[in-house]
Amino acid sequence: MQDTFKHKGLRKQLVETLKNKGITDVAVLNAIGEIKRHLFMDSSFLDHAYQDKAFPIAADQTISQPYTVAFQTELMEIRKGDKVLEIGTGSGYQTAVLCHLGAKVYSIERQKELWRKTSTFLPKLGYRAKKLIFGDGYKGLVEEAPFKSIIVTAGAPFVPKPLLAQLEIGGRLVIPVGDNVQVMTLFVRKGVMEFDKTELGEFRFVPLLEDKN
Ligand code: SAH
């Protein structure tokens, strides 16, 4: 699992690109500057690892674009020790960013192949999520709720009610909502039944699918 001067240099450039695109959170930029994204991709894609683009991983899924990862993470406003839930573990790159920020991470993946692969891979890099779960993210993780923040990394046709219900008061849900194109949406829980909703522009994700596979 090599990390060459070339990789380090490309990561620095990627961080500059993200700054130019409007990412300002220093902790998030540091995480992206340090996490070896090329190790999360198949070897044939090594040269692409530090372009600001999504790429295919196993099981017809993608590793999210770095800008999208940074944008969503920034919206979560992570503080060290926050209990957070991720829906769509995929390659584990976003999970690694959350771990790097000191969050206690629970992450759910519905594709068994990816769940297996990422469950063995992440600890090898030193990223220890609290729990990686093979399951259906539409249901959230009621036994560990409430969460300080929840991130959905696949396009949700609608906002799953359990995810809103599993936020603590003051907690934040960052979710791309829509079918072909998704609108990044932030919900902040203001009270038991009260949520502030903000829409933050269009993105494209692979779909959040029903049930596990
Ligand atoms: N965070 C990932 C992004 C992966 S793409 C990364 O950084 O690589 C979205 C992921 O969501 C895919 O792995 C897909 O299998 C998963 N997914 C789709 N529907 C899901 C569901 N209902 N529950 C959990 N995971 C789901």
Side-chain angles (χ1 to χ4, degrees):
M1 299 212 279
Q2 266 201 333
D3 189 43
T4 63
F5 279 116
K6 184 178 165 209
H7 292 129
K8 290 191 175 84
L10 290 171
R11 268 204 301 282
K12 266 198 183 152
Q13 282 175 25
L14 174 61
V15 168
E16 288 310 309
T17 304
L18 298 184
K19 279 189 194 163
N20 290 336
K21 289 187 178 179
I23 303 297
T24 56
D25 187 318
V26 174
V28 173
L29 291 167
N30 282 344
I32 292 195
E34 283 184 29
I35 299 171
K36 303 170 180 85
R37 188 170 186 260
H38 62 282
L39 301 180
F40 292 75
M41 299 166 62
D42 293 336
S43 55
S44 50
F45 292 123
L46 277 188
D47 283 348
H48 299 279
Y50 297 107
Q51 293 177 15
D52 188 24
K53 283 185 184 161
F55 271 101
I57 52 173
D60 278 340
Q61 301 304 318
T62 56
I63 177 170
S64 299
Q65 182 179 345
Y67 173 73
T68 307
V69 171
F71 189 81
Q72 285 193 280
T73 310
E74 200 166 63
L75 288 173
M76 293 169 83
E77 296 187 353
I78 305 265
R79 297 223 182 113
K80 219 176 170 159
D82 281 0
K83 190 175 189 182
V84 308
L85 177 65
E86 177 190 23
I87 311 298
T89 316
S91 69
Y93 180 72
Q94 172 75 66
T95 318
V97 170
L98 298 171
C99 290
H100 197 277
L101 293 171
K104 295 185 183 125
V105 187
Y106 296 78
S107 184
I108 307 177
E109 172 57 53
R110 72 174 281 285
Q111 286 274 3
K112 196 160 221 172
E113 178 191 344
L114 279 174
W115 170 73
R116 271 216 198 96
K117 195 172 164 192
T118 302
S119 298
T120 50
F121 172 70
L122 272 181
K124 278 190 198 155
L125 288 193
Y127 298 111
R128 293 184 197 282
K130 280 275 164 194
K131 225 182 207 177
L132 299 175
I133 299 114
F134 171 57
D136 179 9
Y138 275 96
K139 302 191 179 96
L141 194 63
V142 73
E143 62 271 32
E144 293 292 346
F147 295 95
K148 185 77 207 357
S149 60
I150 301 178
I151 175 174
V152 179
T153 70
F158 58 89
V159 181
K161 290 245 165 65
L163 301 186
L164 290 170
Q166 290 171 26
L167 282 181
E168 62 180 56
I169 307 293
R172 304 164 78 82
L173 168 64
V174 180
I175 179 169
V177 187
D179 291 315
N180 297 324
V181 178
Q182 292 83 35
V183 176
M184 192 62 74
T185 311
L186 169 68
F187 290 90
V188 181
R189 189 168 201 173
K190 293 292 182 185
V192 176
M193 302 296 278
E194 197 192 333
F195 295 86
D196 269 2
K197 177 183 170 186
T198 316
E199 295 187 333
L200 296 138
E202 291 187 349
F203 289 78
R204 272 173 207 275
F205 285 80
V206 293
L208 189 67
L209 298 171
E210 299 274 356
D211 219 342
K212 51 192 180 185
N213 181 357

